[in-house]
Amino acid sequence: MQIQLNKLSEKPLSPEVGLVVGTRPSIVMFAPLIHKMRERKIPHFVIHTGQHFSPSMDSAFFQDLELPQPDYKLEGVSENKTHGSQTAAMLQGVEKILLQRLPCFFLVGGDANTNLAAALAARKLHINIGHIEAGERSFDKRMPEEHNRIMIDHISDFLFATNENSIKNLKNEGLTSHVFLTGNPIVDATLRHYELTKKNAEILRELNLEPNRYLLLTTHREENVDTVANLRGSLQGVQDFAAQKSLPVIFPAHPRTLKRIDEFGLNDWLKDLDHIKVIEPQGYLNFLELLASAKLVFTDSGGVQQEAAIHKVPAVTLRDNTEWIETLDLGANQLAGCNPERILASGNEMISKERNWPTPFGDGSTSDQIADIANEVIGHYSAS
């Protein structure tokens, strides 16, 4: 493999890899890559920005995924309530660490504010950036995640694309250099961790659930839960479908969603939705067991759409668009927005789907491929 590095600074960069996480989906995505770095003894360190941080949830995720605690953890980031203040706090915190370490390669993954802040910090220090999930587009400029992923792609040096559609999107924006078709580490992650659920996850027994006899619901996106009409519409649509099918809905409620339910005065209304059972957010292995054993999942999460497709669980997405267009093309997913009638119709169509679609995100070798490229970058700096 021939790579060309842009050495724009006289500062000596260290032959090591930095990785940044900050949300629970990013911890899941990077887990197999961190394991691969450790197995292959590739020098690396991990920064946790604290974008989504709670001591119990984060420690549970790292424990569930058999990961060491991150080398660095920013404090107080989650207390910032606006995109600007949060991104600024993470930019400042990551920059301080990068100034100490100056890795020759820095990996960010996905579209959260964490990744934009970290990529900006690395760019200003002339550190080579690799973006995992490059080229994903929902084409909805109302979404902050869409802005983030576009900006990250355009300031990154290495673009790790999930599939040919991602590469096409990058090409349409003039990005053709150092683009690699690697697949997505979410495949590596969910397949590896699903084996762990068999010995560690107990949520079905605790909730007295039978596989394929319940529905799963997640909703947390700003455009859904920060608007009362969208939040009510989503929950009502799922309730109507569950009542029609006489199935319970398990709803691990995101703290953001619960906060909005309370602010909108919907607590009593939600209690009357008798098919929806609200539970605490779960550790990753419990959630993966809930997802893989569900009859149908309703979600606005990109990561849940991916994992549902991998585990052959039909999905109804509570959005009008998705960055994971391949799940629609394969018939594994359908868009329903937040309209109760559309949700009911989509649920009825998806619940009868044959679960025979192929996995659209790679073959589980993504972490090895990215580790190979990281090793080559390190080699350039070890020799210089």
Side-chain angles (χ1 to χ4, degrees):
M1 180 191 315
Q2 293 295 319
I3 61 175
Q4 182 177 354
L5 300 174
N6 296 317
K7 298 185 180 180
L8 301 177
S9 173
E10 295 302 318
K11 292 181 180 178
L13 297 181
S14 174
E16 63 177 351
V17 181
L19 305 94
V20 67
V21 300
T23 64
R24 284 180 277 281
S26 69
I27 297 170
V28 173
M29 177 196 294
F30 270 35
L33 188 53
I34 294 169
H35 283 299
K36 191 62 63 177
M37 297 276 183
R38 298 179 74 203
E39 290 167 11
R40 296 175 57 170
K41 296 182 170 53
I42 297 173
H44 68 281
F45 63 91
V46 178
I47 301 172
H48 190 322
T49 67
Q51 179 180 337
H52 293 172
F53 179 71
S54 68
S56 58
M57 282 295 293
D58 278 60
S59 60
F61 260 60
F62 279 89
Q63 182 177 346
D64 279 351
L65 302 181
E66 299 182 339
L67 292 171
Q69 289 298 305
D71 301 279
Y72 302 93
K73 187 179 292 183
L74 305 185
E75 302 293 337
V77 167
S78 61
E79 296 169 8
N80 293 279
K81 302 307 180 185
T82 67
H83 288 286
S85 61
Q86 185 184 83
T87 304
M90 293 187 290
L91 172 58
Q92 184 177 38
V94 172
E95 180 185 58
K96 184 177 181 181
I97 296 164
L98 292 182
L99 281 168
Q100 296 171 10
R101 300 294 294 248
L102 287 175
C104 64
F105 200 30
F106 194 53
L107 290 171
V108 303
D111 55 20
N113 286 343
T114 281
N115 305 299
L116 177 60
L120 285 169
R123 177 76 287 133
K124 297 298 185 180
L125 297 173
H126 308 294
I127 293 168
N128 297 287
I129 305 164
H131 185 206
I132 300 169
E133 287 192 351
E136 301 305 328
R137 299 289 183 268
S138 69
F139 302 102
D140 185 351
K141 292 294 184 67
R142 297 171 302 173
M143 298 171 60
E145 294 88 355
E146 184 76 352
H147 305 152
N148 288 351
R149 52 176 85 99
I150 292 171
M151 288 188 282
I152 295 168
D153 281 342
H154 282 261
I155 63 173
S156 293
D157 303 281
F158 294 80
L159 298 168
F160 301 115
T162 298
N163 52 41
E164 293 289 351
N165 190 59
S166 312
I167 292 176
K168 179 181 176 182
N169 291 337
L170 292 170
K171 185 177 180 180
N172 287 341
E173 295 174 18
L175 300 174
T176 58
S177 177
H178 289 107
V179 176
F180 300 90
L181 179 58
T182 59
N184 196 302
I186 196 69
V187 179
D188 313 32
T190 197
L191 295 180
R192 174 189 178 115
H193 301 138
Y194 187 56
E195 293 302 312
L196 296 177
T197 68
K198 298 174 182 177
K199 61 180 181 180
N200 294 328
E202 300 181 348
I203 191 67
L204 296 191
R205 179 183 58 80
E206 291 173 4
L207 296 178
N208 195 29
L209 295 171
E210 295 181 25
N212 211 40
R213 289 295 306 158
Y214 64 90
L215 311 170
L216 181 64
L217 166 64
T218 80
T219 182
H220 73 283
R221 282 189 177 262
E222 181 178 302
E223 62 269 26
N224 280 8
V225 304
D226 286 6
T227 303
V228 64
N230 287 348
L231 182 55
R232 283 186 67 116
S234 295
L235 296 176
Q236 187 65 61
V238 175
Q239 161 70 19
D240 292 347
F241 178 78
Q244 184 185 88
K245 301 299 181 185
S246 299
L247 290 171
V249 180
I250 305 304
F251 180 23
H254 192 284
R256 177 194 188 96
T257 308
L258 290 177
K259 182 179 180 181
R260 295 296 182 261
I261 288 170
D262 184 58
E263 289 176 354
F264 295 149
L266 298 179
N267 286 309
D268 290 340
W269 174 80
L270 178 59
K271 290 176 184 176
D272 290 337
L273 303 182
D274 56 341
H275 281 266
I276 297 179
K277 179 179 177 61
V278 179
I279 65 172
E280 293 289 321
Q282 298 297 300
Y284 181 64
L285 295 185
N286 274 348
F287 181 79
L288 184 55
E289 185 179 35
L290 282 171
L291 174 61
S293 301
K295 191 171 187 67
L296 181 66
V297 60
F298 295 89
T299 188
D300 58 12
S301 162
V304 174
Q305 291 174 61
Q306 290 176 286
E307 291 192 278
I310 294 165
H311 289 283
K312 306 294 191 288
V313 177
V316 173
T317 293
L318 306 174
R319 291 163 51 186
D320 292 315
N321 53 62
T322 179
E323 55 276 26
W324 302 113
I325 296 170
E326 51 270 63
T327 64
L328 306 179
D329 295 339
L330 292 171
N333 185 16
Q334 189 168 120
L335 302 176
C338 299
N339 179 277
E341 293 181 359
R342 284 180 63 194
I343 293 169
L344 182 61
S346 292
N348 277 311
E349 183 170 341
M350 292 305 299
I351 203 167
S352 59
K353 281 281 184 180
E354 291 289 332
R355 304 184 180 200
N356 57 1
W357 53 80
T359 299
F361 306 115
D363 59 7
S365 67
T366 300
S367 297
D368 253 323
Q369 295 179 62
I370 295 174
D372 285 342
I373 294 169
N375 245 343
E376 185 163 352
V377 175
I378 285 176
H380 278 260
Y381 285 87
S382 298
S384 61

